[in-house]
Amino acid sequence: MKSRSQSLLLRQIALHAVLAPLAVIWLFPLWMMFVFSTMPDNGIFSPKIVLWPSTNFIENFKNLQADTDFIGAMVISVGVAIIYTFLSVLLTSMAGWALARYRFVGRTVVIAIIIGTITLPFSVVVIPQFIMVAREFKLANTWVALIVPPLFNSLGVLFMRQSFSMMPGELFDAARVEGVKEWQIFLRIALPLASPTMAALAIILFLASWNNYLWPLLINSKPGMMTAPVALGTLIGLTKVSWGGIMAGAVLLTAPILVVFVALQRYFIAGIAAGAIK
């Protein structure tokens, strides 16, 4: 037992010896982003290598706010990301439940089409989608245009279908025998069992919405409807680039994501592991 514990300790030491430098390499760009956000524009491009924060963050943020109303853009991004994540997780869960637990004509074709849509790049559909939303439905510069078009997520449907397929069918059959209605089975039995997968999917969808740049840039032209990434992009002009403001905005955009991931990482890992094993 003693030799086994010593062997385990040596393995852990070796593992940490390998992972620690990798963690430093991954964290170094984030640290430098924070350092640059505290420096004036001329200091960022100074030939002198600086690894410690300066004192110009507040000034950079003030310039960022004056140029873009970044706080308002952050509020819009947070609202869009939360609403989009909730609706998309709900819709993909419903679709995954139907594809996993019901047998109907054309089910295989539907699954094949969903898988096929994963291979389509967004650039293929962005122009028809923009014409339909902006010209036909006249929804440009609205929250609906930001949230509704990206709601369908093929990967999320397949992810939830895999999770529901792993659940024992006898559990749901027993509930039906007891007279439980289908919607109650879905809401009160299936969804709680799939909560780790839903948490992992929610993190992925939240990140996708939070980092989305191209669609909000196309569909919204009013300054008051810009999301935070689009507002940050406006600092890059033809003759002037506010690098200090960009770095400050990048820090403010990155910090919430790191907090969310650290707080929910165990659910994320559990959901990914559950979806990978059948």
Side-chain angles (χ1 to χ4, degrees):
M1 291 294 295
K2 184 177 181 180
S3 60
R4 182 178 300 179
S5 61
Q6 291 177 346
S7 176
L8 180 60
L9 178 61
L10 291 176
R11 290 180 182 178
Q12 292 178 346
I13 294 175
L15 181 62
H16 283 77
V18 174
L19 293 181
L22 294 177
V24 171
I25 294 174
W26 183 83
L27 291 173
F28 184 74
L30 298 178
W31 173 253
M32 291 307 301
M33 178 180 65
F34 172 70
V35 172
F36 289 152
S37 70
T38 64
M39 300 170 61
D41 288 351
N42 56 358
I44 293 176
F45 294 98
S46 172
K48 181 181 179 181
I49 299 177
V50 179
L51 298 179
W52 299 105
S54 184
T55 59
N56 213 60
F57 183 85
I58 300 298
E59 185 66 24
N60 289 335
F61 175 74
K62 288 181 179 179
N63 294 334
L64 172 66
Q65 179 63 20
D67 293 337
T68 64
D69 186 20
F70 196 73
I71 294 178
M74 286 279 289
V75 171
I76 293 176
S77 287
V78 170
V80 169
I82 291 176
I83 297 173
Y84 166 78
T85 301
F86 174 78
L87 293 178
S88 188
V89 169
L90 179 61
L91 293 176
T92 53
S93 298
M94 294 170 64
W97 172 257
L99 293 173
R101 288 301 170 182
Y102 296 124
R103 300 293 181 265
F104 52 88
V105 178
R107 173 175 171 269
T108 304
V109 176
V110 172
I111 296 175
I113 292 175
I114 293 175
I115 295 175
T117 57
I118 298 178
T119 63
L120 292 177
F122 180 66
S123 57
V124 174
V125 300
V126 64
I127 295 178
Q129 181 172 292
F130 174 79
I131 293 174
M132 180 177 63
V133 174
R135 190 175 68 183
E136 303 298 332
F137 295 154
K138 302 185 185 305
L139 293 174
N141 298 304
T142 64
W143 283 60
V144 175
L146 286 172
I147 297 171
V148 174
L151 273 182
F152 178 78
N153 187 277
S154 302
L155 183 62
V157 173
L158 298 176
F159 203 46
M160 294 307 300
R161 174 180 174 269
Q162 176 72 9
S163 178
F164 291 133
S165 298
M166 295 168 55
M167 298 177 185
E170 294 81 4
L171 178 64
F172 307 121
D173 293 337
R176 293 187 183 98
V177 171
E178 294 294 329
V180 181
K181 297 180 180 179
E182 289 295 323
W183 67 270
Q184 292 176 323
I185 293 175
F186 173 69
L187 291 178
R188 299 181 180 179
I189 300 177
L191 288 186
L193 291 176
S195 56
T197 306
M198 293 174 63
L201 180 60
I203 294 175
I204 295 173
L205 295 177
F206 187 90
L207 288 174
S209 177
W210 186 262
N211 295 324
N212 193 7
Y213 178 78
L214 179 57
W215 178 247
L217 175 66
L218 292 176
I219 202 62
N220 286 335
S221 58
K222 293 182 179 179
M225 283 301 299
M226 287 183 180
T227 58
V230 177
L232 202 59
T234 60
L235 294 178
I236 302 177
L238 295 177
T239 59
K240 178 184 176 182
V241 179
S242 178
W243 292 110
I246 291 176
M247 291 295 103
V251 169
L252 295 177
L253 280 175
T254 305
I257 296 302
L258 294 178
V259 171
V260 169
F261 182 79
V262 170
L264 302 178
Q265 62 176 332
R266 62 189 184 97
Y267 299 104
F268 179 78
I269 296 173
I272 295 294
I277 302 173
K278 183 175 180 180

